[in-house]
Amino acid sequence: MPSLPELTDYEVLGRLAVGGMAEIYRARARSGPAAGQEVVLKRLLPMHRTHSAYVDLFLAEARLGALAQHPNLVRTYDLLRVGRDYFIVQELVGGDTLGALAARARERRSRLDLAAGLVAVADLLDALDFLHSGAGVPGEPPIIHRDVNPLNLVASPGGVAKLIDFGVAERQGETPRHRAGALRGTPAYMSPEQVRGRPALDPRSDLFSAGILLWELFADRPLFERENQFETLRQVAEGAAPPLRSVDRAIPVVFERMCVRALASDRDRRFQTAGGFLHALRRSCQREGLSLDRSALAQEVRRLWPAPPRVPARAEAG
């Protein structure tokens, strides 16, 4: 394990992942709000700590994460500076990402349970509704996550899904923290306006990404992802999502219509708020006799997650 500075308040248990901007450790908190609990320590890689742009991104992620106090958002406990090192201390969520669970289901020649997936999407929309309302602070501009994808949605053994990773999140209207024209996020889950590099993203970009998750849940296959990034970006920019019932005629029409609206290339034709999207999802599930019971997601996590708790996030802060 790489050498770390002495952390008085945390016992480091091991390194879990490393990416282009940060590395992630599992630790036990000796004091503070998470005293006695295992937590995640996210460390800015030493090679970046002298570059102000990377430090600014890391600090901005910590600040936005600290505002995200919601049951469906991973909790950020603290930001530490020890010597020249920067650490973000976050909640350690048991379970795994929605993307990993779906992949494991395919390995077992099955698919992710539909009811379980719908619970996860409903939790995602609840989290986005909170972020888009300014994290519950009246008068504050929306926080746009900008990287809604199945690897950033964690399903816990208790049947709760949590949105993670604020590495590229921004408040609407603020000056971008990254190089102009740079694509930050996951190409296969971007909105058309995000791919085209429009600077003025609004919450409807996140709702398009949520629509991709919903479409893929029903279709059980990728929507826009192709063999290379150029083709993936082209598919997203064109916004040509096949009707769900062209994939499977058994899918109820109400969900096909919901995905058509969520995936409209024209932002004005999409759901305008996460709350409106969530209301439509709940109403459609009720109409089709599909329960949004957390036990469905909990059972699916138990079925597909035969492993000890780990960090189900990418190591990059963005």
Side-chain angles (χ1 to χ4, degrees):
M1 186 170 68
S3 62
L4 291 173
E6 183 177 349
L7 300 172
T8 305
D9 296 327
Y10 299 94
E11 176 191 0
V12 178
L13 304 176
R15 189 167 74 167
L16 295 167
V18 61
M21 183 169 174
E23 55 190 350
I24 293 179
Y25 294 84
R26 185 173 176 176
R28 182 176 290 108
R30 297 190 178 105
S31 61
Q37 300 177 38
E38 290 191 4
V39 296
V40 168
L41 292 178
K42 191 170 187 177
R43 179 200 195 194
L44 182 66
L45 288 173
M47 70 179 74
H48 297 319
R49 62 193 179 192
T50 59
H51 298 278
S52 61
Y54 284 103
V55 173
D56 288 347
L57 283 170
F58 198 74
L59 296 179
E61 177 183 2
R63 285 193 294 269
L64 288 178
L67 294 172
Q69 302 297 313
H70 185 277
N72 300 118
L73 292 166
V74 69
R75 185 176 178 185
T76 295
Y77 294 116
D78 203 359
L79 171 67
L80 304 175
R81 183 172 183 181
V82 183
R84 300 172 64 199
D85 276 299
Y86 294 89
F87 294 88
I88 297 174
V89 185
Q90 293 181 321
E91 172 187 11
L92 176 65
V93 183
D96 216 331
T97 67
L98 197 67
L101 293 173
R104 197 167 295 124
R106 287 190 289 271
E107 289 170 1
R108 299 182 183 185
R109 299 181 181 276
S110 64
R111 60 179 293 174
L112 189 70
D113 177 70
L114 178 60
L118 289 171
V119 172
V121 172
D123 280 351
L124 166 64
L125 291 171
D126 208 5
L128 290 176
D129 191 44
F130 176 77
L131 292 176
H132 296 167
S133 70
V137 181
E140 286 294 318
I143 296 173
I144 305 168
H145 187 274
R146 297 174 59 97
D147 200 12
V148 173
N149 72 75
L151 294 180
N152 278 340
L153 188 62
V154 180
S156 77
V160 177
K162 298 195 177 197
L163 181 62
I164 63 175
D165 198 342
F166 289 84
V168 297
E170 292 177 352
R171 283 200 180 275
Q172 183 177 342
E174 74 177 4
T175 303
R177 293 180 278 111
H178 54 277
R179 179 171 52 85
L183 285 176
R184 297 185 64 83
T186 304
Y189 295 91
M190 290 180 176
S191 65
E193 59 269 25
Q194 195 172 1
V195 166
R196 295 180 187 125
R198 291 186 181 178
L201 292 184
D202 65 30
R204 293 172 293 182
S205 179
D206 284 344
L207 301 187
F208 187 94
S209 302
I212 299 174
L213 265 69
L214 186 64
W215 190 98
E216 293 183 345
L217 174 64
F218 279 99
D220 193 34
R221 69 172 176 84
L223 175 53
F224 294 124
E225 187 172 12
R226 298 296 184 268
E227 291 184 359
N228 60 69
Q229 181 170 300
F230 175 80
E231 281 302 313
T232 296
L233 293 172
R234 187 174 67 82
Q235 290 292 322
V236 175
E238 292 177 356
L244 268 178
R245 285 166 56 83
S246 69
V247 178
D248 183 352
R249 295 291 297 176
I251 296 172
V253 173
V254 66
F255 291 111
E256 179 180 67
R257 291 173 179 166
M258 186 180 303
C259 285
V260 167
R261 183 174 179 186
L263 295 170
S265 294
D266 182 347
R267 293 184 291 187
D268 292 336
R269 297 179 59 192
R270 293 178 204 157
F271 290 102
Q272 298 299 291
T273 66
F277 194 164
L278 178 58
H279 176 72
L281 178 63
R282 287 173 172 161
R283 186 179 59 214
S284 298
C285 287
Q286 183 178 30
R287 173 178 170 180
E288 296 299 326
L290 292 168
S291 172
L292 292 176
D293 191 326
R294 297 202 177 280
S295 63
L297 183 56
Q299 182 176 340
E300 195 70 343
V301 172
R302 289 193 295 269
R303 178 175 79 93
L304 297 169
W305 182 64
R310 67 177 186 84
V311 179
R314 294 170 299 168
E316 299 94 335

